[in-house]
């Protein structure tokens, strides 16, 4: 089982969710994060005090998937999350050693 | 606002009722002045903070400051323009052109001093009271173009609009123009303020086009407590708007306040039950919108109808505006972001027409305009006032927008819209929690 | 509010002091009218937005709209009910039943016109001013059942409550009923508004039971700036409540405003120091609650006491309500979510009783009610008023709740409570940042 | 506020204009009283919630309650102190010391009853109206020491400050002291309120030192909608401040309201365009700050100038305060957190001096103080008033701070500052979303 | 050392924290997230505009644990986090290769 | 490639970002979290109701780095994030199996 972490642009959240559902993913967890990268931030100015804000609002999508569908999932996120402009974000895959569904206590791939 | 002729009559009537009480025209009455100073504060309160919070809570958080800033800048800009030339265009004698527009004798308020009296209050108070109407009317339009209009273009557009649309319509109804002469009843601004702003809003929504993503993307209001708070402030401030339009602290002002309260409450309840029936649950956004619809609809009627009329007008406003802001908007497909047309346009029309009905003495009202004898005639007069405002406002607004659009553009670009106007136009963020 | 008898006396006294000034009964006075129009706006401002923000900030964010909506819907519903039949039950002559309840002559406000005068102000203004009291009283009760009551049941419950509890108690004290006749002093609503609402709240808290998780789960206020803002609005609006209850812009109104300010400030300081001593730190929620306690306690006294009395009443209110909302509540174990009883019930009792003390001329007050000669008698009268209100309100509220509960249930189900009332009852969320 | 001498003259002038109208001194006028009751409510509204929200929105979220609490506690504490001894020091006759300070005859407001009259209003109303000025002045200083001062030290500091600084300066200008006698014009508090608070703020900023991290760390305002809301409330409430300072509902009050509106709007626009030119974009925080600068600057002038003067004063205030709150502060390096000095100090100075210019009859004003004949003399008088206030306030504030600092310290410790004052001083958090 | 990620219902946060403390865990990090899964969301309606909200508020608990106590930790979260109703959430275990305590610079299992 | 998770004190965020940039890191993702650990929380009191708040505001910095620079990155975070007081936080390193840049679709170390 793999833990896929994708950092995407906020307004792409619905597209990515739909793309994931289309390849059979039934669960995911998202959170609001702030990202720093190539995409440039903006300036804020309050009564002459200027702030350079380098962090931009991003959405982090985390989804646990079975190895079998990993490639499909990656492809789904990639195509649905990309706009072709700088700042589209990145996707990282980590290994899950163990998974449990709290409600039932069952573990392993059936959890998803 | 009562026309000046009415004002004299009412005051005389008042005098008859209050023997020994020096409440004559052109003599300052401290009670009337006290109430009008207060009313002025109340109407300003309607725009900042009232309306601006009402609107600001409904947009997405990335645009919250842009809306607050639009309302605030409108307040400041209209005050200056009013002082310089819009007051005189609206309220002085236009000579030959008087049916259509006022004159220039009070440019820069020259000629108005500490001792100038209008009716029983200082002229300065009349000027500032009316100024607050010229502030809120363009501010209402913000609801239609929120979240996408360029700030600079908005300033230019509304400068032209207040001059070309508001000043004449205000003069027609209250400044001695043709509308008052025809017996159109508009106590506190059904046509001048609400139909005018609502129609201008609709034209803006059509000309500017939809927000990016509308209607498929989720755009829930970002902070509804602000909206409910703003609605409460609007309600309170509206007492100055309606009861203040009597320009005196008398029985008519009292009745105007009473019917304002009753109609607003009734409209809120009506909207709530409509929503409950249609969608299964009543909502906070719904009930406060219903209240605003009621406030709008009772505005033209407030000095002319009684409690029964206000119950009826409130109920009608709640139901019809509900349909306007939900079904009508969705079926027509324009993006009137915060329902400037759905609430103010439609509410203003409903209220203006029904004023013709419930002004009838038999229905507890004060009776029809002088020279008008039947309800049919009064309704015709009201419809004429509404129709003239709609047509003139729509055409003029459209032309102004097209010209401003051609010169400097009306909308922010796509990236600015996505980023939000707060950052892209004002270099600031609403919240940094 | 002064009883009408007092009103005549005071006005005559006023006339004596102001030679040549036409301030007679049943003749409209524009200054008095101006102040009462303003006061009406101020008291409405207390409920929306004042009280509703004060309360909304204290609940969890998932219930913020439900509280705002309850207050707003109460405002609308009570206005309509007042117009239709509650005003007439409260303030007209009930004939044989007059000690207990008023009559029906002003159903739908029929018979009240533009020219109707009450004292020196239009009757319409009196009606609407009193309406705002009938709005805030049930809205105060929200604090006791917040975060768990069904919205529909609340509407039914409060419709019955305003009819069966508020209308008679209001009539007893101000409408010509037995309480006024017995010399119970209640200038602006110590018994009618605050004891009444506080006791009803306590009964609600007991009958509905605790919120799920109370008191073990953390339920910190979700947005205290809203609460502090609401408290400031309550304070400002309360000037209309207390000084407005004089129904005139005169010396008594001035003194009522002064003692309101002094008592409130003193109570805020007293609460702050109590908290500082007991818990080591003073808090913002504490000081604003203290201010509200002071406002409540000075309410019945405001037209009768002087500055010294107001310092004493304020200090007593701050200290005793502090104990009520902290120690008492915790030791008794009921869940009066936002302290409707702890602040309004207890503050109302404290203030009502102390009015009997500080109305004494020697203590700077205006003197006792006519027919009452000693402080002991006045305190007895006050206690009688309080006790009667407590008993009648508690019994009647309990019965109404039981009946409504039996028919339609009072509480939302567990899942709705966990999810929050905003989503489960209103299909909306307070914040979408 | 007009001095009492002026007041008599103006009233007599008013009487001449209003034949048959009983508006004499020492006879209660209900219209004037109505307006002053309202004005009192409006000025309290400026502090709570107005100013406290304006400030609270600008700090970091961890300090939001501390600022709200400071303003609220100041409101309560100053009310009590005013009642006990500060009123009498400010406004009664000080005998031999009268040029410098008042006497003690109204300690605890003893001697002021329901029937006491001051001018045409109850003395109680005068007392409470003036109390609201003694509330907002120290509250303004909060802007300079926000986010780092100990709450306990603040209470002690301001108790001393209101006694040692405010009471005498208020007496000088309005209570019969030397400043009024010299012909210094200060209608509503240019020197007494704004220069005084601004200078005290500057001294606080210098003595307390910078906030940890200032100016390198990002400290963006945490909730600008609160700030914009507060600014709107300040604007509305300021009508009571300026037009209320006439102590009557008459032509001067009307003109004071008009020029307040015009100057404020002009200053807002001026600041907006300055920012637009200098930084490329106009901001919401900018335009609202500009409005406050305009309100400040027109304050001393409001009863003396006409529309033209108000346009000029507004423009000057917008531009100069913009430079004060941006360039000057940054170049000098002090940390006046929320620009108490940059806006109130500088705005007060600009307005006070320009009052000497635009009071001129030729510029539409009411003319110079009695005994003063040329604009040069009036400007000298104004400068004298400003200079005396600056010097006295700066020295006295510095000494008080040093003493309080020596005894109990002025600042929270580093860890408390990092944690935020809400948790560290008040055991509560602003938001728990 | 393992990195345990648990997605739980918000009102279970205190229970889970206590259960973890009971098995000797002395540190953890939580954050607010929004979860999509079997548990159905709700509808929101603003002036006739209806939104289907599929994401529900959840709490993400992240806790680094030594291998020896992993099973106990899993069991503690499972029992304290479960209500038996759909939406109770899931738990995932990832491998930690290295850990450092910033204050002291020490690394390895002693960090926890 | 490694996934470095650092829990730090909020006011250290800028220092850590600068230290990371100094060692050549060009992207990172941060989020607001609440941490429980040795550092003691605080008490809150609302009208006599006392709450012990054990969770403190922290910032979670997540940064994907190539193996070659891992040590430098750890050192950078450690030195910039530490104040020497309890509660400075911790840093955990997990293994990344795969990485993709959404915009271009490229994968592997070049993604960073
Ligand atoms: N090394 C990294 N570790 C963690 N997150 C990263 C890293 N690099 C980029 N990100 C995240 O990806 C987002 C987009 O990266 P950016 O460099 O701006 O554009 P792009 O992904 O198009 O190259 C950043 O805002 C940040 O949240
Ligand atoms: N594949 C997944 N990857 C990441 N998070 C998931 C995944 N599946 C479920 N979740 C998280 O777990 C939560 C609960 O899942 P859900 O399917 O609703 O119920 P249950 O856990 O009882 O089966 C979701 O809201 C989501 O936050
Ligand atoms: N076992 C753990 N798992 C996850 N996060 C932890 C763990 N231990 C500590 N943390 C995080 O690190 C922060 C600091 O830990 P703490 O024990 O307070 O101080 P220190 O890091 O100085 O030992 C905590 O607030 C928490 O967010």
């Amino acid at each position: 089982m793999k833990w896929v972490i994708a950092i995407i642009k906020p307004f792409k959240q619905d597209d990515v969710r739909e793309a994931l559902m289309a390849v059979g993913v039934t669960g995911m967890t998202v959170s609001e994060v702030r990202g720093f990268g190539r995409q440039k931030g903006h300036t804020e100015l309050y009564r002459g005090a200027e702030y350079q804000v380098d962090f931009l609002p991003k959405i982090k999508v985390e989804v646990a998937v079975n190895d079998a569908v990993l490639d499909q999932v990656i492809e789904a996120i990639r195509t649905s999350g990309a706009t072709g402009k700088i700042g589209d974000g990145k996707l990282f895959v980590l290994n899950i050693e163990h998974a449990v569904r709290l409600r039932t206590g069952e573990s392993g791939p059936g959890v998803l | 606002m009562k026309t000046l002729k009415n004002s004299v009559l009412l005051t005389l009537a008042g005098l008859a009722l209050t023997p020994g009480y020096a409440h004559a025209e052109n003599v300052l009455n401290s009670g009337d002045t006290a109430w009008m100073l207060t009313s002025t504060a109340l109407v300003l309160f309607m725009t900042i903070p009232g309306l601006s919070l009402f609107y600001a809570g409904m947009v997405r958080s990335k645009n919250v400051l842009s809306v607050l800033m639009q309302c605030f800048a409108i307040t400041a800009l209209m005050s200056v323009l009013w002082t310089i030339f819009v007051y005189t265009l609206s309220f002085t004698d236009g000579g030959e052109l008087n049916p259509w527009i006022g004159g220039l004798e009070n440019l820069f308020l020259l000629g108005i001093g500490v001792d100038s009296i209008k009716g029983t209050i200082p002229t300065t108070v009349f000027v500032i009271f009316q100024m607050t109407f010229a502030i809120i009317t363009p501010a209402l339009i913000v609801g239609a173009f929120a979240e996408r209009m360029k700030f600079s273009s908005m300033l230019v557009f509304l400068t032209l609009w207040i001059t070309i649309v508001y000043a004449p319509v205000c003069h027609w109804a209250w400044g001695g123009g043709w509308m008052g002469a025809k017996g159109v009843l508009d106590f506190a601004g059904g046509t001048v303020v609400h139909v005018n702003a609502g129609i201008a809003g609709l034209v803006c929504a059509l000309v500017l086009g939809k927000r990016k993503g509308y209607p498929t993307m989720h755009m829930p209001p970002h902070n509804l407590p602000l909206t409910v708070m703003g609605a409460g402030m609007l309600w309170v401030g509206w007492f100055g708007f309606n009861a203040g339009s009597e320009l005196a602290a008398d029985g008519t002002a009292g009745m105007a306040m009473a019917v304002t309260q009753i109609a607003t409450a009734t409209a809120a309840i009506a909207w709530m039950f409509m929503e409950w029936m249609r969608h299964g649950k009543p909502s906070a956004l719904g009930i406060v919108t219903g209240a605003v619809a009621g406030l709008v609809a009772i505005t033209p009627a407030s000095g002319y109808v009684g409690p029964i009329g206000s119950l009826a007008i409130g109920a009608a406003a709640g139901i019809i505006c509900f349909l306007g802001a939900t079904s009508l908007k969705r079926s027509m497909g324009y993006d009137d972001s915060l329902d400037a047309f759905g609430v103010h346009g439609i509410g203003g029309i409903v209220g203006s027409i029904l004023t013709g009905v419930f002004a009838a003495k038999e229905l507890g009202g004060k009776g029809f305009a002088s020279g008008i004898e039947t309800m049919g005639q009064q309704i015709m007069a009201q419809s004429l006032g509404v129709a003239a405002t709609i047509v003139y406002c729509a055409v003029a607004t459209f032309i102004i927008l097209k010209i401003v659009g051609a010169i400097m553009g009306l909308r922010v670009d796509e990236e600015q819209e996505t980023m939000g106007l707060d950052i892209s136009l004002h270099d600031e963020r609403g919240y940094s929690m």
Side-chain angles (χ1 to χ4, degrees), chain B residues 383-407:
Chain B
S383 307
L384 177 67
V386 167
T389 306
I390 292 176
V391 172
Y392 179 70
C393 173
V395 172
T397 304
F398 183 80
I399 295 173
I400 299 171
L401 280 173
K402 282 298 175 187
I403 293 173
V404 175
I407 295 172

Side-chain angles (χ1 to χ4, degrees), chain B residues 232-276:
Chain B
M233 293 175 178
L234 279 169
W235 190 334
V236 170
W238 221 291
F239 284 158
F241 202 82
N242 286 0
S245 286
E246 169 64 0
L247 303 180
D250 60 13
T252 297
M255 185 58 92
M257 190 178 270
V259 297
T260 298
Q261 178 70 15
I262 297 168
T264 305
T266 310
I269 297 285
W271 187 300
M272 181 179 87
F273 282 116
M274 283 299 289
E275 206 176 26
W276 211 332

